[in-house]
Amino acid sequence: MTVSCMSLLAVFGEFGCWFSIVATWTLWPLLVVDRLELAYLASMGIYLCLLYYSTKIGNTKNNTKITFSLVVWKLVLFASSFGMVGLHVLEIMGHMEFIVKIPSHLPDLFPVLWSVGGCAMLLVSWAVSCWKLYVLPVEPDKGRKQD
């Protein structure tokens, strides 16, 4: 079950890309402790550029039906992207004490927010992967004798 999310890349490509971004994003507090912020920014930038160009090249005119699940998925993508970028911006403004003032009695505010946001997004990814595994069509085994 651990790799079920990434094994769905062939079935549900956007989900695999989104999961990779979310999984890397949740590591930010640990990367800050290890002073790997630049490596995080570089790898995420390269991955997003490759993702953008691969979707631009592979984007042919396809007639995708608009369904309720597609609309919900697009909303999840937008909300999670907004949340991830927004938390980075809040953290930068908090450290610069620009608009956001971090209370002195909450020194670990941003790592806790990262944990809560990451937990919520990983729960969504778990639910999506379970749903996709549940609705995958089952092909009959051709090597067995039919009774």
Side-chain angles (χ1 to χ4, degrees):
M1 189 65 177
T2 336
V3 292
S4 65
C5 296
M6 293 315 297
S7 65
L8 292 172
L9 189 57
V11 177
F12 197 48
E14 281 184 347
F15 173 72
C17 298
W18 175 80
F19 182 77
S20 299
I21 293 169
V22 167
T24 307
W25 178 82
T26 58
L27 293 174
W28 174 255
L30 298 173
L31 295 173
V32 169
V33 170
D34 292 339
R35 297 181 184 262
L36 294 171
E37 298 95 342
L38 188 58
Y40 167 82
L41 293 173
S43 63
M44 287 295 282
I46 292 169
Y47 181 74
L48 289 173
C49 287
L50 290 173
L51 185 63
Y52 173 75
Y53 286 115
S54 69
T55 56
K56 193 173 184 179
I57 290 171
N59 193 7
T60 59
K61 291 184 179 180
N62 56 355
N63 296 330
T64 305
K65 289 190 332 185
I66 297 176
T67 61
F68 177 73
S69 61
L70 180 66
V71 171
V72 170
W73 177 245
K74 294 296 181 182
L75 286 173
V76 166
L77 283 176
F78 175 74
S80 62
S81 301
F82 183 75
M84 288 187 282
V85 171
L87 200 51
H88 274 302
V89 169
L90 278 175
E91 185 181 34
I92 290 169
M93 289 191 316
H95 287 301
M96 291 177 17
E97 294 185 357
F98 181 54
I99 294 175
V100 179
K101 303 268 190 231
I102 301 174
S104 60
H105 64 283
L106 297 173
D108 293 333
L109 176 66
F110 290 108
V112 169
L113 289 175
W114 239 272
S115 297
V116 170
C119 182
M121 286 186 274
L122 292 174
L123 280 173
V124 167
S125 70
W126 176 79
V128 168
S129 65
C130 286
W131 176 254
K132 283 295 181 181
L133 288 173
Y134 178 72
V135 298
L136 275 177
V138 178
E139 295 180 16
D141 191 10
K142 295 178 180 159
R144 290 177 93 187
K145 283 184 168 180
Q146 297 292 331
D147 291 332

